[in-house]
Amino acid sequence: MKIVLKNLSKIFPAMGKKNKDVVVAVDNLDIEIPDGKLVGLLGPSGCGKSTTLYMISGLQKPTMGQVFFGDDDVTMLEPEHRGVGLVFQNYALYPHLTVKQNIMFPLQNLKGAEKLSKEEMLRRAQEAADLVQIGDLMERKPSALSGGQQQRVAIARALAKAPRVLLLDEPLSNLDARLRLQTREEIKRIQRETGVTTVFVTHDQEEAMSISDVIVVMKNGVMQQVGEPQKVYDDPGNLFVAQFLGTPPINVFNGKISGGDLYIGDEKIMEVHAEGADRPVTVGIRPEGFIPSEEGVLSGKLRTVEVMGRDCSVVFTNESSQKPSVRAIVDSDIGARFDSTGLVRFNLKRNKVFLFEAETGERIRF
Ligand code: ADP
Ligand code: MG
């Protein structure tokens, strides 16, 4: 089921004396979510991810704009008639019901033509439980399950309804690091097996990058960029996206374009063919874009070398860096050659260097 969001906005009214301003939680969102794909909705806390998800589910009505499932305008349709499965961060299981009863709960509420026989409900509950690999825990109460198992029950409950659309709101946030990794692989597998169109909300860029077919990056309710994770990483449309994706994050410098060359401080970095006048620019350099070289174009003062097995971080300072230190990732055998003091120099991989307008953060092609 393809999902289309058309000029979708949500404005919350001002609340009382202290909050005099309305909140534009989602601002004119225009997105097409392809059928059968897993889409990661990504952005910092408060950027409107959950609100977007709730408008897709029907739990919240948009202030403006429309939601389509396929060709159907579902904007005004009640949540229970949309065929969506929703999973929240805090599993929201009924503590007094067993796993089986929890999974069957939404099926028991189906009315009229959708009503299911007891056998059919049991069959669907077992099938969903098997899919998320908790099929042998059906008689347990939630209190006798680990966090990861509880989240699987919540996912099974959403899947048992055979939803047209699966919506996951930060489903892994309450799990510890290892379980989070395992469960996200699991979600990817389940999504592939069922082929259900899935929207996965997270503030964690690594999680979104690793799990999604397509990511949508949001900031302050406004969509910044849509695309395959690697493409967005390799070709960010603005400084915000460049900074939000990637660990360690991209290094940011104050630079300038002058006479067809890019400068950081007084060092001439590379020739650029950018449109427009000579001007100050913001320069982003990915940590993997540095090549140590004695004749390198960019210099810095070495702070420390952190060896991490396969590769290592060379941490150095540069007066034009917007952060106190710059981080380059290089092979560990190269990193070992740095001594603990003195000057370091790097050449730069051209495709790892990005230029942005100093004022707006818009990308400058060169
Ligand atoms: P996210 O899920 O990305 O963290 P949300 O969609 O929850 O962000 O919230 C987006 C913005 O809307 C935030 O500024 C939040 O405070 C505000 N907001 C969310 N729900 C409400 C509400 N019911 N009433 C007023 N403001 C809200
Ligand atoms: Mg949220």
Side-chain angles (χ1 to χ4, degrees), residues 85-88 91 93 103 128-129 131-132 134 148-161 163 166 168 171-172 175 183 186-187 190 200:
L86 196 54
V87 177
F88 298 99
Y91 333 118
L93 302 177
I103 299 175
L131 191 65
V132 302
I134 49 156
Q149 290 167 333
Q150 290 185 44
Q151 192 54 294
R152 285 160 195 251
V153 176
I155 295 170
R157 183 175 56 185
L159 289 172
K161 288 190 288 183
L166 184 62
L168 306 165
L172 308 180
L175 306 182
T183 312
E186 199 78 332
I187 288 176
I190 292 164
F200 181 99

Short mmCIF file of all heavy atoms in Angstrom, two decimals, residues 85-88 91 93 103 128-129 131-132 134 148-161 163 166 168 171-172 175 183 186-187 190 200:
data_model
loop_
_atom_site.label_atom_id
_atom_site.label_comp_id
_atom_site.label_asym_id
_atom_site.label_seq_id
_atom_site.Cartn_x
_atom_site.Cartn_y
_atom_site.Cartn_z
N GLY A 85 -1.28 -0.91 11.72
CA GLY A 85 -0.77 -1.48 12.95
C GLY A 85 0.22 -0.49 13.54
O GLY A 85 1.10 0.01 12.83
N LEU A 86 0.03 -0.17 14.82
CA LEU A 86 0.84 0.87 15.44
C LEU A 86 1.62 0.28 16.61
O LEU A 86 1.05 -0.43 17.43
CB LEU A 86 -0.10 1.98 15.92
CG LEU A 86 0.46 3.34 16.28
CD1 LEU A 86 1.28 3.93 15.15
CD2 LEU A 86 -0.69 4.29 16.62
N VAL A 87 2.91 0.57 16.67
CA VAL A 87 3.73 0.11 17.79
C VAL A 87 4.43 1.31 18.40
O VAL A 87 5.07 2.09 17.69
CB VAL A 87 4.79 -0.92 17.31
CG1 VAL A 87 5.68 -1.33 18.48
CG2 VAL A 87 4.11 -2.13 16.70
N PHE A 88 4.28 1.45 19.71
CA PHE A 88 4.88 2.59 20.40
C PHE A 88 6.17 2.19 21.10
O PHE A 88 6.47 1.02 21.27
CB PHE A 88 3.91 3.14 21.46
CG PHE A 88 2.63 3.65 20.89
CD1 PHE A 88 1.49 2.86 20.90
CD2 PHE A 88 2.56 4.92 20.35
CE1 PHE A 88 0.31 3.34 20.37
CE2 PHE A 88 1.38 5.41 19.82
CZ PHE A 88 0.25 4.61 19.84
N TYR A 91 5.87 -0.29 24.86
CA TYR A 91 5.07 -1.42 24.38
C TYR A 91 3.55 -1.34 24.59
O TYR A 91 2.79 -1.82 23.79
CB TYR A 91 5.60 -2.71 25.00
CG TYR A 91 7.08 -2.61 25.34
CD1 TYR A 91 7.53 -2.72 26.65
CD2 TYR A 91 8.01 -2.34 24.34
CE1 TYR A 91 8.89 -2.60 26.95
CE2 TYR A 91 9.36 -2.21 24.63
CZ TYR A 91 9.80 -2.35 25.93
OH TYR A 91 11.11 -2.22 26.22
N LEU A 93 1.44 -2.90 26.60
CA LEU A 93 0.75 -4.19 26.71
C LEU A 93 -0.17 -4.15 27.93
O LEU A 93 0.08 -3.41 28.88
CB LEU A 93 1.76 -5.32 26.89
CG LEU A 93 2.80 -5.47 25.78
CD1 LEU A 93 3.78 -6.59 26.13
CD2 LEU A 93 2.13 -5.72 24.44
N ILE A 103 -2.12 -10.28 22.08
CA ILE A 103 -2.04 -10.26 20.60
C ILE A 103 -3.44 -10.34 20.00
O ILE A 103 -3.74 -9.71 18.98
CB ILE A 103 -1.15 -11.41 20.09
CG1 ILE A 103 0.28 -11.25 20.62
CG2 ILE A 103 -1.13 -11.44 18.57
CD1 ILE A 103 1.20 -12.40 20.28
N ALA A 128 1.46 -14.61 13.97
CA ALA A 128 2.18 -13.36 14.24
C ALA A 128 3.26 -13.58 15.30
O ALA A 128 4.39 -13.08 15.18
CB ALA A 128 1.21 -12.27 14.67
N ALA A 129 2.91 -14.37 16.32
CA ALA A 129 3.87 -14.64 17.40
C ALA A 129 5.07 -15.43 16.86
O ALA A 129 6.22 -15.14 17.20
CB ALA A 129 3.20 -15.40 18.53
N LEU A 131 6.17 -15.37 13.84
CA LEU A 131 6.93 -14.47 12.97
C LEU A 131 7.95 -13.66 13.76
O LEU A 131 9.06 -13.42 13.30
CB LEU A 131 5.95 -13.55 12.23
CG LEU A 131 6.50 -12.70 11.10
CD1 LEU A 131 6.99 -13.57 9.94
CD2 LEU A 131 5.45 -11.73 10.60
N VAL A 132 7.56 -13.23 14.94
CA VAL A 132 8.50 -12.43 15.76
C VAL A 132 9.22 -13.30 16.80
O VAL A 132 9.87 -12.80 17.70
CB VAL A 132 7.79 -11.24 16.46
CG1 VAL A 132 7.14 -10.33 15.44
CG2 VAL A 132 6.79 -11.72 17.48
N ILE A 134 8.20 -15.40 19.26
CA ILE A 134 7.79 -15.54 20.65
C ILE A 134 6.65 -16.56 20.76
O ILE A 134 5.87 -16.55 21.71
CB ILE A 134 7.31 -14.20 21.26
CG1 ILE A 134 6.29 -13.53 20.33
CG2 ILE A 134 8.47 -13.26 21.56
CD1 ILE A 134 5.38 -12.59 21.03
N GLY A 148 12.88 -6.81 25.32
CA GLY A 148 12.88 -7.18 23.91
C GLY A 148 11.70 -8.07 23.56
O GLY A 148 11.07 -7.91 22.51
N GLN A 149 11.38 -9.00 24.47
CA GLN A 149 10.24 -9.89 24.22
C GLN A 149 8.93 -9.11 24.25
O GLN A 149 8.03 -9.34 23.45
CB GLN A 149 10.23 -11.02 25.25
CG GLN A 149 11.37 -12.00 25.04
CD GLN A 149 11.57 -12.95 26.22
OE1 GLN A 149 11.24 -12.61 27.36
NE2 GLN A 149 12.11 -14.12 25.95
N GLN A 150 8.84 -8.16 25.19
CA GLN A 150 7.62 -7.34 25.26
C GLN A 150 7.42 -6.56 23.97
O GLN A 150 6.31 -6.44 23.46
CB GLN A 150 7.70 -6.37 26.44
CG GLN A 150 7.61 -7.07 27.78
CD GLN A 150 7.56 -6.07 28.93
OE1 GLN A 150 6.86 -5.07 28.88
NE2 GLN A 150 8.31 -6.33 29.98
N GLN A 151 8.54 -6.02 23.44
CA GLN A 151 8.40 -5.25 22.21
C GLN A 151 7.98 -6.16 21.06
O GLN A 151 7.21 -5.76 20.20
CB GLN A 151 9.71 -4.52 21.90
CG GLN A 151 9.60 -3.46 20.82
CD GLN A 151 8.53 -2.43 21.07
OE1 GLN A 151 7.34 -2.72 21.07
NE2 GLN A 151 8.94 -1.19 21.29
N ARG A 152 8.44 -7.42 21.07
CA ARG A 152 8.00 -8.36 20.04
C ARG A 152 6.51 -8.64 20.13
O ARG A 152 5.84 -8.80 19.11
CB ARG A 152 8.75 -9.68 20.16
CG ARG A 152 10.17 -9.61 19.66
CD ARG A 152 10.96 -10.74 20.24
NE ARG A 152 12.36 -10.49 20.07
CZ ARG A 152 13.12 -11.18 19.22
NH1 ARG A 152 12.60 -12.14 18.50
NH2 ARG A 152 14.38 -10.88 19.10
N VAL A 153 6.01 -8.71 21.38
CA VAL A 153 4.57 -8.93 21.55
C VAL A 153 3.80 -7.75 20.94
O VAL A 153 2.81 -7.93 20.22
CB VAL A 153 4.19 -9.09 23.05
CG1 VAL A 153 2.68 -9.22 23.21
CG2 VAL A 153 4.91 -10.28 23.66
N ALA A 154 4.30 -6.55 21.21
CA ALA A 154 3.64 -5.36 20.65
C ALA A 154 3.66 -5.39 19.13
O ALA A 154 2.68 -5.02 18.47
CB ALA A 154 4.32 -4.10 21.17
N ILE A 155 4.78 -5.86 18.56
CA ILE A 155 4.85 -5.94 17.09
C ILE A 155 3.92 -7.04 16.57
O ILE A 155 3.20 -6.84 15.58
CB ILE A 155 6.31 -6.19 16.64
CG1 ILE A 155 7.19 -4.98 17.01
CG2 ILE A 155 6.38 -6.43 15.14
CD1 ILE A 155 8.68 -5.21 16.83
N ALA A 156 3.89 -8.17 17.28
CA ALA A 156 2.99 -9.25 16.87
C ALA A 156 1.54 -8.80 16.92
O ALA A 156 0.74 -9.12 16.03
CB ALA A 156 3.19 -10.47 17.78
N ARG A 157 1.20 -8.04 17.95
CA ARG A 157 -0.17 -7.54 18.09
C ARG A 157 -0.54 -6.64 16.90
O ARG A 157 -1.63 -6.70 16.37
CB ARG A 157 -0.31 -6.77 19.41
CG ARG A 157 -1.71 -6.27 19.67
CD ARG A 157 -1.84 -5.63 21.02
NE ARG A 157 -0.88 -4.54 21.18
CZ ARG A 157 -0.69 -3.86 22.31
NH1 ARG A 157 -1.40 -4.19 23.39
NH2 ARG A 157 0.17 -2.89 22.38
N ALA A 158 0.44 -5.83 16.49
CA ALA A 158 0.18 -4.95 15.34
C ALA A 158 0.05 -5.77 14.05
O ALA A 158 -0.76 -5.46 13.18
CB ALA A 158 1.29 -3.92 15.21
N LEU A 159 0.85 -6.85 13.94
CA LEU A 159 0.86 -7.64 12.70
C LEU A 159 -0.34 -8.56 12.58
O LEU A 159 -0.76 -8.90 11.48
CB LEU A 159 2.14 -8.48 12.63
CG LEU A 159 3.44 -7.72 12.37
CD1 LEU A 159 4.63 -8.67 12.51
CD2 LEU A 159 3.43 -7.08 10.99
N ALA A 160 -0.91 -8.98 13.73
CA ALA A 160 -2.00 -9.96 13.72
C ALA A 160 -3.21 -9.44 12.95
O ALA A 160 -3.98 -10.20 12.37
CB ALA A 160 -2.40 -10.33 15.15
N LYS A 161 -3.37 -8.15 12.93
CA LYS A 161 -4.49 -7.53 12.21
C LYS A 161 -4.29 -7.54 10.70
O LYS A 161 -5.13 -7.04 9.97
CB LYS A 161 -4.65 -6.07 12.66
CG LYS A 161 -5.21 -5.92 14.05
CD LYS A 161 -5.57 -4.47 14.35
CE LYS A 161 -4.32 -3.63 14.52
NZ LYS A 161 -4.61 -2.22 14.89
N PRO A 163 -2.20 -5.67 8.93
CA PRO A 163 -2.38 -4.26 8.58
C PRO A 163 -1.89 -3.97 7.16
O PRO A 163 -1.01 -4.66 6.65
CB PRO A 163 -1.52 -3.53 9.61
CG PRO A 163 -0.43 -4.49 9.93
CD PRO A 163 -1.08 -5.86 9.87
N LEU A 166 2.26 -0.58 8.53
CA LEU A 166 2.81 -0.77 9.88
C LEU A 166 3.56 0.50 10.29
O LEU A 166 4.42 0.98 9.56
CB LEU A 166 3.75 -1.98 9.88
CG LEU A 166 4.36 -2.39 11.23
CD1 LEU A 166 3.28 -2.79 12.22
CD2 LEU A 166 5.36 -3.54 11.04
N LEU A 168 5.78 2.35 13.29
CA LEU A 168 6.59 2.07 14.47
C LEU A 168 7.17 3.37 14.99
O LEU A 168 7.93 4.04 14.28
CB LEU A 168 7.72 1.11 14.10
CG LEU A 168 7.32 -0.19 13.41
CD1 LEU A 168 8.52 -0.88 12.78
CD2 LEU A 168 6.65 -1.14 14.39
N PRO A 171 10.48 2.27 18.27
CA PRO A 171 10.16 1.00 18.93
C PRO A 171 11.34 0.39 19.69
O PRO A 171 11.13 -0.51 20.49
CB PRO A 171 9.75 0.09 17.77
CG PRO A 171 10.51 0.62 16.60
CD PRO A 171 10.55 2.12 16.80
N LEU A 172 12.54 0.88 19.46
CA LEU A 172 13.70 0.24 20.08
C LEU A 172 14.30 1.05 21.22
O LEU A 172 15.25 0.61 21.87
CB LEU A 172 14.78 -0.01 19.01
CG LEU A 172 14.30 -0.73 17.76
CD1 LEU A 172 15.45 -0.92 16.78
CD2 LEU A 172 13.69 -2.08 18.11
N LEU A 175 15.16 -0.45 24.67
CA LEU A 175 15.96 -1.67 24.74
C LEU A 175 17.43 -1.32 24.95
O LEU A 175 17.89 -0.25 24.53
CB LEU A 175 15.81 -2.46 23.44
CG LEU A 175 14.37 -2.78 23.03
CD1 LEU A 175 14.37 -3.60 21.74
CD2 LEU A 175 13.63 -3.52 24.13
N THR A 183 17.05 -6.47 17.57
CA THR A 183 15.65 -6.26 17.26
C THR A 183 15.48 -5.47 15.96
O THR A 183 14.53 -5.68 15.22
CB THR A 183 14.92 -5.55 18.42
OG1 THR A 183 15.25 -6.22 19.64
CG2 THR A 183 13.43 -5.59 18.24
N GLU A 186 15.71 -7.80 13.24
CA GLU A 186 14.48 -8.58 13.27
C GLU A 186 13.34 -7.84 12.56
O GLU A 186 12.60 -8.41 11.76
CB GLU A 186 14.12 -8.77 14.75
CG GLU A 186 13.18 -9.86 15.02
CD GLU A 186 13.87 -11.21 14.97
OE1 GLU A 186 14.88 -11.40 14.26
OE2 GLU A 186 13.38 -12.07 15.65
N ILE A 187 13.22 -6.55 12.86
CA ILE A 187 12.17 -5.75 12.23
C ILE A 187 12.36 -5.71 10.72
O ILE A 187 11.42 -5.83 9.95
CB ILE A 187 12.14 -4.32 12.83
CG1 ILE A 187 11.60 -4.38 14.26
CG2 ILE A 187 11.31 -3.37 11.99
CD1 ILE A 187 11.61 -3.06 15.00
N ILE A 190 11.21 -9.09 9.39
CA ILE A 190 9.75 -9.21 9.42
C ILE A 190 9.14 -8.36 8.30
O ILE A 190 8.22 -8.80 7.60
CB ILE A 190 9.20 -8.74 10.79
CG1 ILE A 190 9.64 -9.73 11.88
CG2 ILE A 190 7.69 -8.61 10.76
CD1 ILE A 190 9.50 -9.17 13.28
N PHE A 200 9.04 3.80 10.01
CA PHE A 200 9.81 3.56 11.23
C PHE A 200 10.35 4.91 11.70
O PHE A 200 11.16 5.53 11.01
CB PHE A 200 10.94 2.60 10.88
CG PHE A 200 11.83 2.21 12.01
CD1 PHE A 200 11.65 1.00 12.66
CD2 PHE A 200 12.86 3.04 12.43
CE1 PHE A 200 12.49 0.62 13.70
CE2 PHE A 200 13.69 2.68 13.48
CZ PHE A 200 13.50 1.46 14.11
#
